Amino acid sequence: MPYSLSYTKKNLKKLSFLVYGLGSTGSSVISYFEKRKISNFNTWDDNKKLRKKYNSKITHNLKISIKNSDYIVLSPGISLNNTKYKKDLKKFKHKIITDLDLLYICNLKSKTKTIVITGTNGKSTTCKIVGHLLKKSKYKTVIGGNIGTPILNLNIKKNCYIVIEASSFQLAYSKFICADYALLLNITNDHLDWHGSMKNYINSKFKIFNLQGENQYAIVNKKFEKKFKRNNFSGELIIPKLKNYIKIKSKIKNSYLKSNINDENMSNVLELSKLLKINEKSFIRSLNTFIGLPHRYEIFLKQKNFTFINDSKATSFQATKFALQNTKNIFWIVGGLPKKNDRINLSNLRNNITKSYIIGKNINFFKKQIKNKIKYYVAKNLKNSIIQVLKDIKSLKRERNTILFSPAAASFDQFKNFEIRGNEFKRLSKLYAKKFI
């Protein structure tokens, strides 16, 4: 049976848990339990190697553990549709919680506030900006969640602000999140193979508002206002106005924030800063010293008339679209593992793109999407694409050229993750820039 938050808080040590998934999140849950002397838990992972690592706590009968545990702490990467024991997990889905829930159950100290940020595009950068803004404004601040550090590994002190990046995977199972400030940035087509439908994906994002009450704030873009009100959420609704950020943007002397890519998300941050009583001067001064995250429209090399941009984090066309909108004279390297139901719409973008270079194992998908719209070359891999780009640019003899790696696809066909993919692009770019420029 599901329990209320108040009941769970009072009876935590009396309850039993199954930690399902023993990657970084699962490991943090186990450490959290051990520190708090919560011993009534078993563990499981479908991977035999990880089961050996936690041998003493591995359940001997997973089906019984699923049935008898009060809560199943599921790692966010595990999809109920793909795991070996999906029938058992779906049957007891009401028991499933996440590491974020454990934070709210008993890890919040006196006057601690949580800022939960979710969305399809830009949530990591927005979390970093919010964290930077708070620290520069002398607030005690920690950042974690999907952005890197598991939330239960953070050193949380009194009077602290916890900035949490929440993925749709985490939110899909969460039951106890109660954010003091909840920000929903945007929602576009993503992770549909995991969620099963766009409706499920959208509903997972809106779960950050479920338990909010008085004196808690929901910052939601205008396009989501009707859905928010239909659900009768209790948090105080705030709709950011883009024009308010644009008014002060010219005062921000930070090249990373010059493009329009972050404007909409920054309007959310501006509203949050007002709630936190951070004045405009402090807001601008803090943003002037912000350094952008790698692999997100990262301008890492400028040489003569060449500008190299690493946007490896763009794993869907919607994410890539921001880069294509804000750049001219683009030699666009694209390709990888396309997201389910993703489509490439180059309307109003063609004039920005000089030529495209397709990489990865899904060549035909990208050829069909861009054929007869823009010029393209089948490069197959990053090395070939960079060499061909530089050859083409030299033959054109044009003053300004942008080599943009914004793949509009996941990395798993050729790389382990987008970080490795982005670092390889940067390495090869620097190598061949020396030879060709």
Side-chain angles (χ1 to χ4, degrees), residues 125-185:
T125 297
T126 304
C127 281
K128 280 290 187 180
I129 289 172
V130 169
H132 180 79
L133 178 63
L134 289 172
K135 287 176 182 177
K136 287 292 182 179
S137 302
K138 308 301 181 185
Y139 287 92
K140 292 180 184 176
T141 310
V142 291
I143 307 173
N146 190 60
I147 198 169
T149 306
I151 204 73
L152 298 178
N153 284 350
L154 295 174
N155 182 20
I156 299 169
K157 298 177 181 179
K158 291 181 180 180
N159 305 311
C160 181
Y161 280 82
I162 311 170
V163 182
I164 302 168
E165 180 186 329
S167 72
S168 60
F169 303 151
Q170 291 170 309
L171 294 173
Y173 303 134
S174 293
K175 293 178 173 60
F176 297 133
I177 289 178
C178 185
D180 295 288
Y181 306 88
L183 283 70
L184 175 57
L185 304 178

Short mmCIF file of all heavy atoms in Angstrom, two decimals, residues 125-185:
data_model
loop_
_atom_site.label_atom_id
_atom_site.label_comp_id
_atom_site.label_asym_id
_atom_site.label_seq_id
_atom_site.Cartn_x
_atom_site.Cartn_y
_atom_site.Cartn_z
N THR A 125 22.08 23.67 -17.82
CA THR A 125 22.63 25.03 -17.86
C THR A 125 21.86 25.95 -16.90
O THR A 125 22.46 26.74 -16.16
CB THR A 125 22.56 25.60 -19.29
OG1 THR A 125 23.38 24.79 -20.14
CG2 THR A 125 23.06 27.03 -19.33
N THR A 126 20.54 25.82 -16.88
CA THR A 126 19.73 26.66 -15.99
C THR A 126 20.04 26.37 -14.53
O THR A 126 20.14 27.30 -13.71
CB THR A 126 18.23 26.44 -16.27
OG1 THR A 126 17.97 26.69 -17.66
CG2 THR A 126 17.37 27.37 -15.43
N CYS A 127 20.21 25.09 -14.19
CA CYS A 127 20.59 24.73 -12.81
C CYS A 127 21.93 25.36 -12.43
O CYS A 127 22.08 25.91 -11.33
CB CYS A 127 20.68 23.22 -12.67
SG CYS A 127 19.09 22.40 -12.48
N LYS A 128 22.88 25.30 -13.34
CA LYS A 128 24.20 25.88 -13.08
C LYS A 128 24.12 27.40 -12.92
O LYS A 128 24.78 27.99 -12.05
CB LYS A 128 25.16 25.52 -14.22
CG LYS A 128 25.75 24.13 -14.13
CD LYS A 128 26.73 24.02 -12.97
CE LYS A 128 27.44 22.68 -12.96
NZ LYS A 128 28.40 22.57 -11.83
N ILE A 129 23.30 28.03 -13.76
CA ILE A 129 23.13 29.48 -13.66
C ILE A 129 22.49 29.85 -12.33
O ILE A 129 22.94 30.78 -11.65
CB ILE A 129 22.29 30.01 -14.84
CG1 ILE A 129 23.11 29.93 -16.14
CG2 ILE A 129 21.85 31.45 -14.59
CD1 ILE A 129 22.32 30.25 -17.40
N VAL A 130 21.44 29.13 -11.94
CA VAL A 130 20.77 29.39 -10.67
C VAL A 130 21.74 29.19 -9.50
O VAL A 130 21.82 30.01 -8.58
CB VAL A 130 19.53 28.49 -10.50
CG1 VAL A 130 18.99 28.56 -9.07
CG2 VAL A 130 18.44 28.90 -11.50
N GLY A 131 22.48 28.09 -9.54
CA GLY A 131 23.46 27.83 -8.47
C GLY A 131 24.51 28.92 -8.39
O GLY A 131 24.87 29.38 -7.30
N HIS A 132 25.00 29.35 -9.54
CA HIS A 132 26.01 30.42 -9.61
C HIS A 132 25.44 31.73 -9.06
O HIS A 132 26.10 32.42 -8.27
CB HIS A 132 26.46 30.59 -11.06
CG HIS A 132 27.49 31.65 -11.27
ND1 HIS A 132 28.83 31.45 -10.99
CD2 HIS A 132 27.38 32.94 -11.71
CE1 HIS A 132 29.50 32.55 -11.26
NE2 HIS A 132 28.65 33.48 -11.70
N LEU A 133 24.23 32.03 -9.46
CA LEU A 133 23.55 33.26 -9.01
C LEU A 133 23.39 33.27 -7.50
O LEU A 133 23.65 34.28 -6.84
CB LEU A 133 22.20 33.36 -9.71
CG LEU A 133 21.29 34.54 -9.36
CD1 LEU A 133 21.94 35.86 -9.74
CD2 LEU A 133 19.94 34.39 -10.06
N LEU A 134 22.97 32.15 -6.93
CA LEU A 134 22.76 32.07 -5.49
C LEU A 134 24.07 32.19 -4.72
O LEU A 134 24.15 32.89 -3.71
CB LEU A 134 22.06 30.75 -5.14
CG LEU A 134 20.59 30.63 -5.56
CD1 LEU A 134 20.09 29.23 -5.32
CD2 LEU A 134 19.73 31.63 -4.81
N LYS A 135 25.10 31.50 -5.20
CA LYS A 135 26.39 31.56 -4.51
C LYS A 135 26.98 32.96 -4.53
O LYS A 135 27.52 33.44 -3.53
CB LYS A 135 27.36 30.56 -5.16
CG LYS A 135 27.03 29.11 -4.83
CD LYS A 135 27.96 28.15 -5.57
CE LYS A 135 27.58 26.70 -5.27
NZ LYS A 135 28.43 25.74 -6.02
N LYS A 136 26.86 33.63 -5.69
CA LYS A 136 27.36 35.00 -5.80
C LYS A 136 26.55 35.96 -4.94
O LYS A 136 27.05 37.03 -4.55
CB LYS A 136 27.32 35.45 -7.26
CG LYS A 136 28.37 34.80 -8.15
CD LYS A 136 29.76 35.25 -7.77
CE LYS A 136 30.81 34.65 -8.65
NZ LYS A 136 32.18 35.12 -8.30
N SER A 137 25.32 35.57 -4.63
CA SER A 137 24.45 36.40 -3.78
C SER A 137 24.53 35.99 -2.31
O SER A 137 23.68 36.35 -1.51
CB SER A 137 23.01 36.31 -4.28
OG SER A 137 22.91 36.72 -5.62
N LYS A 138 25.56 35.18 -1.99
CA LYS A 138 25.88 34.78 -0.61
C LYS A 138 24.87 33.82 0.02
O LYS A 138 24.75 33.75 1.25
CB LYS A 138 26.04 36.02 0.30
CG LYS A 138 26.99 37.07 -0.22
CD LYS A 138 28.41 36.53 -0.42
CE LYS A 138 29.35 37.62 -0.92
NZ LYS A 138 30.70 37.09 -1.23
N TYR A 139 24.16 33.07 -0.81
CA TYR A 139 23.28 32.02 -0.29
C TYR A 139 24.07 30.71 -0.19
O TYR A 139 24.86 30.39 -1.09
CB TYR A 139 22.08 31.78 -1.22
CG TYR A 139 21.04 32.86 -1.20
CD1 TYR A 139 21.08 33.92 -2.10
CD2 TYR A 139 19.97 32.81 -0.30
CE1 TYR A 139 20.11 34.91 -2.10
CE2 TYR A 139 18.99 33.80 -0.29
CZ TYR A 139 19.07 34.85 -1.19
OH TYR A 139 18.10 35.82 -1.19
N LYS A 140 23.87 29.97 0.89
CA LYS A 140 24.43 28.61 0.97
C LYS A 140 23.72 27.77 -0.09
O LYS A 140 22.49 27.68 -0.09
CB LYS A 140 24.20 28.00 2.35
CG LYS A 140 24.97 28.65 3.47
CD LYS A 140 24.65 27.96 4.79
CE LYS A 140 25.32 28.65 5.96
NZ LYS A 140 24.94 28.02 7.25
N THR A 141 24.49 27.14 -0.98
CA THR A 141 23.89 26.48 -2.13
C THR A 141 24.62 25.19 -2.48
O THR A 141 25.85 25.12 -2.43
CB THR A 141 23.95 27.41 -3.37
OG1 THR A 141 23.45 28.69 -3.04
CG2 THR A 141 23.14 26.83 -4.53
N VAL A 142 23.84 24.14 -2.79
CA VAL A 142 24.40 22.91 -3.35
C VAL A 142 23.57 22.55 -4.59
O VAL A 142 22.39 22.89 -4.69
CB VAL A 142 24.39 21.74 -2.35
CG1 VAL A 142 25.37 21.98 -1.21
CG2 VAL A 142 22.98 21.50 -1.80
N ILE A 143 24.21 21.87 -5.53
CA ILE A 143 23.54 21.50 -6.79
C ILE A 143 23.70 20.01 -7.02
O ILE A 143 24.80 19.46 -6.85
CB ILE A 143 24.15 22.26 -7.99
CG1 ILE A 143 24.17 23.76 -7.74
CG2 ILE A 143 23.37 21.96 -9.27
CD1 ILE A 143 24.91 24.54 -8.80
N GLY A 144 22.62 19.34 -7.40
CA GLY A 144 22.72 17.91 -7.66
C GLY A 144 21.51 17.37 -8.39
O GLY A 144 20.68 18.12 -8.91
N GLY A 145 21.42 16.05 -8.40
CA GLY A 145 20.35 15.39 -9.13
C GLY A 145 20.84 14.89 -10.47
O GLY A 145 21.97 14.40 -10.57
N ASN A 146 20.06 15.06 -11.49
CA ASN A 146 20.40 14.58 -12.82
C ASN A 146 21.63 15.28 -13.40
O ASN A 146 22.25 14.80 -14.34
CB ASN A 146 19.20 14.79 -13.76
CG ASN A 146 19.37 14.12 -15.10
OD1 ASN A 146 19.54 12.91 -15.19
ND2 ASN A 146 19.34 14.90 -16.16
N ILE A 147 22.00 16.41 -12.85
CA ILE A 147 23.11 17.20 -13.37
C ILE A 147 24.48 16.57 -13.08
O ILE A 147 25.48 16.95 -13.66
CB ILE A 147 23.06 18.64 -12.81
CG1 ILE A 147 23.93 19.59 -13.65
CG2 ILE A 147 23.46 18.67 -11.34
CD1 ILE A 147 23.73 21.05 -13.33
N GLY A 148 24.54 15.60 -12.18
CA GLY A 148 25.84 14.96 -11.94
C GLY A 148 25.94 14.29 -10.59
O GLY A 148 25.97 13.06 -10.49
N THR A 149 25.97 15.06 -9.52
CA THR A 149 26.09 14.49 -8.18
C THR A 149 24.75 13.95 -7.71
O THR A 149 23.77 14.70 -7.66
CB THR A 149 26.57 15.56 -7.18
OG1 THR A 149 27.77 16.15 -7.66
CG2 THR A 149 26.80 14.95 -5.81
N PRO A 150 24.67 12.65 -7.38
CA PRO A 150 23.41 12.12 -6.83
C PRO A 150 22.96 12.95 -5.64
O PRO A 150 23.77 13.34 -4.80
CB PRO A 150 23.77 10.69 -6.43
CG PRO A 150 24.90 10.31 -7.34
CD PRO A 150 25.69 11.59 -7.51
N ILE A 151 21.69 13.20 -5.56
CA ILE A 151 21.16 14.15 -4.59
C ILE A 151 21.46 13.74 -3.15
O ILE A 151 21.67 14.57 -2.28
CB ILE A 151 19.63 14.32 -4.80
CG1 ILE A 151 19.17 15.67 -4.26
CG2 ILE A 151 18.82 13.20 -4.22
CD1 ILE A 151 19.59 16.84 -5.10
N LEU A 152 21.53 12.43 -2.89
CA LEU A 152 21.78 11.95 -1.52
C LEU A 152 23.25 12.02 -1.13
O LEU A 152 23.60 11.79 0.02
CB LEU A 152 21.25 10.52 -1.36
CG LEU A 152 19.75 10.35 -1.58
CD1 LEU A 152 19.35 8.89 -1.43
CD2 LEU A 152 18.95 11.22 -0.61
N ASN A 153 24.12 12.35 -2.08
CA ASN A 153 25.55 12.50 -1.79
C ASN A 153 25.93 13.94 -1.44
O ASN A 153 27.07 14.21 -1.09
CB ASN A 153 26.40 12.05 -2.98
CG ASN A 153 26.47 10.53 -3.10
OD1 ASN A 153 26.05 9.81 -2.19
ND2 ASN A 153 26.99 10.05 -4.20
N LEU A 154 24.97 14.85 -1.54
CA LEU A 154 25.27 16.25 -1.27
C LEU A 154 25.42 16.52 0.22
O LEU A 154 24.76 15.90 1.05
CB LEU A 154 24.14 17.14 -1.82
CG LEU A 154 23.94 17.17 -3.33
CD1 LEU A 154 22.70 17.97 -3.68
CD2 LEU A 154 25.17 17.74 -4.03
N ASN A 155 26.28 17.46 0.54
CA ASN A 155 26.48 17.88 1.94
C ASN A 155 25.52 19.03 2.22
O ASN A 155 25.81 20.20 1.95
CB ASN A 155 27.93 18.31 2.15
CG ASN A 155 28.20 18.72 3.59
OD1 ASN A 155 27.46 18.35 4.50
ND2 ASN A 155 29.24 19.51 3.79
N ILE A 156 24.36 18.70 2.75
CA ILE A 156 23.29 19.68 2.93
C ILE A 156 23.32 20.22 4.36
O ILE A 156 23.24 19.45 5.32
CB ILE A 156 21.92 19.05 2.62
CG1 ILE A 156 21.91 18.58 1.15
CG2 ILE A 156 20.80 20.03 2.89
CD1 ILE A 156 20.73 17.71 0.80
N LYS A 157 23.42 21.54 4.48
CA LYS A 157 23.50 22.18 5.80
C LYS A 157 22.24 23.00 6.07
O LYS A 157 21.38 23.15 5.21
CB LYS A 157 24.74 23.07 5.86
CG LYS A 157 26.04 22.29 5.67
CD LYS A 157 27.24 23.21 5.66
CE LYS A 157 28.53 22.42 5.46
NZ LYS A 157 29.72 23.31 5.41
N LYS A 158 22.16 23.55 7.27
CA LYS A 158 21.02 24.39 7.63
C LYS A 158 21.00 25.65 6.76
O LYS A 158 22.05 26.12 6.31
CB LYS A 158 21.09 24.79 9.10
CG LYS A 158 20.87 23.64 10.08
CD LYS A 158 20.94 24.13 11.51
CE LYS A 158 20.70 22.98 12.49
NZ LYS A 158 20.78 23.45 13.90
N ASN A 159 19.82 26.20 6.56
CA ASN A 159 19.65 27.43 5.78
C ASN A 159 20.25 27.34 4.39
O ASN A 159 20.82 28.30 3.87
CB ASN A 159 20.28 28.62 6.52
CG ASN A 159 19.73 28.78 7.92
OD1 ASN A 159 18.53 28.77 8.13
ND2 ASN A 159 20.63 28.89 8.89
N CYS A 160 20.10 26.17 3.80
CA CYS A 160 20.73 25.90 2.51
C CYS A 160 19.69 25.85 1.39
O CYS A 160 18.54 25.44 1.61
CB CYS A 160 21.47 24.56 2.59
SG CYS A 160 22.33 24.08 1.09
N TYR A 161 20.09 26.26 0.20
CA TYR A 161 19.25 26.11 -0.99
C TYR A 161 19.80 24.94 -1.82
O TYR A 161 20.98 24.92 -2.16
CB TYR A 161 19.25 27.38 -1.83
CG TYR A 161 18.33 28.45 -1.30
CD1 TYR A 161 18.74 29.29 -0.27
CD2 TYR A 161 17.05 28.62 -1.82
CE1 TYR A 161 17.90 30.27 0.24
CE2 TYR A 161 16.19 29.60 -1.32
CZ TYR A 161 16.63 30.42 -0.29
OH TYR A 161 15.79 31.38 0.20
N ILE A 162 18.92 23.98 -2.09
CA ILE A 162 19.30 22.82 -2.89
C ILE A 162 18.73 22.99 -4.29
O ILE A 162 17.51 23.02 -4.47
CB ILE A 162 18.77 21.51 -2.29
CG1 ILE A 162 19.09 21.41 -0.80
CG2 ILE A 162 19.35 20.30 -3.03
CD1 ILE A 162 18.40 20.25 -0.10
N VAL A 163 19.61 23.14 -5.27
CA VAL A 163 19.18 23.27 -6.67
C VAL A 163 19.21 21.87 -7.28
O VAL A 163 20.26 21.23 -7.35
CB VAL A 163 20.11 24.22 -7.45
CG1 VAL A 163 19.62 24.37 -8.89
CG2 VAL A 163 20.19 25.58 -6.77
N ILE A 164 18.05 21.40 -7.72
CA ILE A 164 17.90 20.01 -8.18
C ILE A 164 17.50 19.98 -9.65
O ILE A 164 16.48 20.56 -10.04
CB ILE A 164 16.82 19.28 -7.36
CG1 ILE A 164 17.18 19.30 -5.87
CG2 ILE A 164 16.64 17.85 -7.85
CD1 ILE A 164 16.04 18.85 -4.97
N GLU A 165 18.30 19.32 -10.46
CA GLU A 165 17.87 19.02 -11.82
C GLU A 165 17.12 17.70 -11.80
O GLU A 165 17.68 16.67 -11.41
CB GLU A 165 19.05 18.92 -12.78
CG GLU A 165 18.59 18.61 -14.21
CD GLU A 165 19.72 18.36 -15.19
OE1 GLU A 165 20.80 18.96 -15.02
OE2 GLU A 165 19.53 17.57 -16.12
N ALA A 166 15.87 17.73 -12.19
CA ALA A 166 15.03 16.53 -12.17
C ALA A 166 14.72 16.08 -13.58
O ALA A 166 14.13 16.81 -14.37
CB ALA A 166 13.73 16.82 -11.41
N SER A 167 15.13 14.86 -13.91
CA SER A 167 14.84 14.31 -15.23
C SER A 167 13.44 13.72 -15.26
O SER A 167 12.85 13.43 -14.21
CB SER A 167 15.86 13.22 -15.58
OG SER A 167 15.61 12.05 -14.82
N SER A 168 12.91 13.54 -16.44
CA SER A 168 11.58 12.91 -16.58
C SER A 168 11.60 11.49 -16.06
O SER A 168 10.59 10.98 -15.58
CB SER A 168 11.14 12.93 -18.04
OG SER A 168 12.05 12.21 -18.86
N PHE A 169 12.76 10.83 -16.12
CA PHE A 169 12.88 9.46 -15.61
C PHE A 169 12.66 9.44 -14.09
O PHE A 169 11.97 8.57 -13.57
CB PHE A 169 14.27 8.88 -15.91
CG PHE A 169 14.64 8.87 -17.37
CD1 PHE A 169 15.96 8.97 -17.75
CD2 PHE A 169 13.68 8.77 -18.36
CE1 PHE A 169 16.32 8.96 -19.09
CE2 PHE A 169 14.02 8.76 -19.70
CZ PHE A 169 15.36 8.86 -20.06
N GLN A 170 13.29 10.38 -13.40
CA GLN A 170 13.12 10.47 -11.95
C GLN A 170 11.69 10.84 -11.58
O GLN A 170 11.08 10.24 -10.70
CB GLN A 170 14.08 11.52 -11.38
CG GLN A 170 15.54 11.13 -11.45
CD GLN A 170 16.45 12.30 -11.11
OE1 GLN A 170 16.33 13.37 -11.68
NE2 GLN A 170 17.38 12.08 -10.19
N LEU A 171 11.17 11.83 -12.27
CA LEU A 171 9.84 12.33 -11.93
C LEU A 171 8.74 11.33 -12.21
O LEU A 171 7.70 11.31 -11.53
CB LEU A 171 9.56 13.63 -12.71
CG LEU A 171 10.45 14.82 -12.32
CD1 LEU A 171 10.20 15.99 -13.26
CD2 LEU A 171 10.21 15.22 -10.88
N ALA A 172 8.94 10.47 -13.20
CA ALA A 172 7.92 9.48 -13.56
C ALA A 172 7.55 8.59 -12.38
O ALA A 172 6.40 8.16 -12.24
CB ALA A 172 8.40 8.63 -14.73
N TYR A 173 8.51 8.31 -11.50
CA TYR A 173 8.28 7.41 -10.36
C TYR A 173 8.14 8.14 -9.03
O TYR A 173 7.76 7.54 -8.03
CB TYR A 173 9.43 6.42 -10.24
CG TYR A 173 9.68 5.58 -11.47
CD1 TYR A 173 10.97 5.39 -11.96
CD2 TYR A 173 8.62 4.98 -12.15
CE1 TYR A 173 11.21 4.61 -13.08
CE2 TYR A 173 8.86 4.21 -13.28
CZ TYR A 173 10.15 4.03 -13.74
OH TYR A 173 10.38 3.27 -14.85
N SER A 174 8.48 9.43 -9.00
CA SER A 174 8.53 10.14 -7.73
C SER A 174 7.14 10.38 -7.14
O SER A 174 6.17 10.58 -7.87
CB SER A 174 9.24 11.49 -7.91
OG SER A 174 10.61 11.28 -8.21
N LYS A 175 7.08 10.36 -5.81
CA LYS A 175 5.80 10.52 -5.12
C LYS A 175 5.82 11.57 -4.02
O LYS A 175 4.77 12.00 -3.56
CB LYS A 175 5.38 9.17 -4.51
CG LYS A 175 5.04 8.13 -5.58
CD LYS A 175 4.67 6.80 -4.97
CE LYS A 175 4.18 5.83 -6.04
NZ LYS A 175 5.19 5.55 -7.08
N PHE A 176 7.02 11.99 -3.56
CA PHE A 176 7.08 12.87 -2.41
C PHE A 176 7.79 14.20 -2.68
O PHE A 176 8.08 14.94 -1.73
CB PHE A 176 7.78 12.16 -1.24
CG PHE A 176 7.05 10.94 -0.75
CD1 PHE A 176 7.73 9.75 -0.52
CD2 PHE A 176 5.68 10.98 -0.52
CE1 PHE A 176 7.06 8.62 -0.06
CE2 PHE A 176 5.00 9.86 -0.07
CZ PHE A 176 5.69 8.68 0.17
N ILE A 177 8.07 14.55 -3.93
CA ILE A 177 8.73 15.82 -4.21
C ILE A 177 7.81 16.98 -3.84
O ILE A 177 6.65 17.02 -4.24
CB ILE A 177 9.12 15.92 -5.70
CG1 ILE A 177 10.28 14.95 -6.00
CG2 ILE A 177 9.53 17.33 -6.08
CD1 ILE A 177 10.70 14.94 -7.44
N CYS A 178 8.35 17.90 -3.08
CA CYS A 178 7.56 19.06 -2.63
C CYS A 178 8.46 20.29 -2.70
O CYS A 178 9.01 20.73 -1.69
CB CYS A 178 7.04 18.83 -1.22
SG CYS A 178 5.93 20.12 -0.64
N ALA A 179 8.64 20.83 -3.89
CA ALA A 179 9.60 21.90 -4.14
C ALA A 179 9.11 23.24 -3.61
O ALA A 179 7.94 23.60 -3.78
CB ALA A 179 9.87 22.01 -5.64
N ASP A 180 10.00 23.98 -3.00
CA ASP A 180 9.67 25.35 -2.60
C ASP A 180 9.56 26.24 -3.84
O ASP A 180 8.72 27.14 -3.90
CB ASP A 180 10.74 25.90 -1.65
CG ASP A 180 10.77 25.13 -0.34
OD1 ASP A 180 9.83 25.30 0.46
OD2 ASP A 180 11.71 24.34 -0.14
N TYR A 181 10.42 25.95 -4.80
CA TYR A 181 10.38 26.65 -6.09
C TYR A 181 10.50 25.58 -7.19
O TYR A 181 11.50 24.87 -7.24
CB TYR A 181 11.54 27.65 -6.21
CG TYR A 181 11.62 28.63 -5.06
CD1 TYR A 181 12.35 28.31 -3.92
CD2 TYR A 181 10.97 29.85 -5.13
CE1 TYR A 181 12.43 29.20 -2.85
CE2 TYR A 181 11.05 30.75 -4.07
CZ TYR A 181 11.77 30.42 -2.93
OH TYR A 181 11.84 31.30 -1.89
N ALA A 182 9.49 25.48 -8.02
CA ALA A 182 9.48 24.49 -9.09
C ALA A 182 9.46 25.19 -10.44
O ALA A 182 8.57 26.00 -10.70
CB ALA A 182 8.27 23.56 -8.95
N LEU A 183 10.44 24.89 -11.30
CA LEU A 183 10.55 25.54 -12.59
C LEU A 183 10.38 24.52 -13.71
O LEU A 183 11.14 23.54 -13.78
CB LEU A 183 11.91 26.22 -12.76
CG LEU A 183 12.14 27.57 -12.06
CD1 LEU A 183 12.23 27.39 -10.54
CD2 LEU A 183 13.41 28.23 -12.58
N LEU A 184 9.39 24.72 -14.55
CA LEU A 184 9.21 23.91 -15.76
C LEU A 184 9.59 24.78 -16.95
O LEU A 184 8.89 25.74 -17.28
CB LEU A 184 7.77 23.43 -15.88
CG LEU A 184 7.41 22.66 -17.16
CD1 LEU A 184 8.31 21.44 -17.34
CD2 LEU A 184 5.95 22.23 -17.14
N LEU A 185 10.72 24.46 -17.58
CA LEU A 185 11.28 25.33 -18.62
C LEU A 185 10.58 25.17 -19.97
O LEU A 185 10.14 26.13 -20.57
CB LEU A 185 12.78 25.04 -18.78
CG LEU A 185 13.63 25.17 -17.52
CD1 LEU A 185 15.07 24.80 -17.82
CD2 LEU A 185 13.55 26.57 -16.94
#
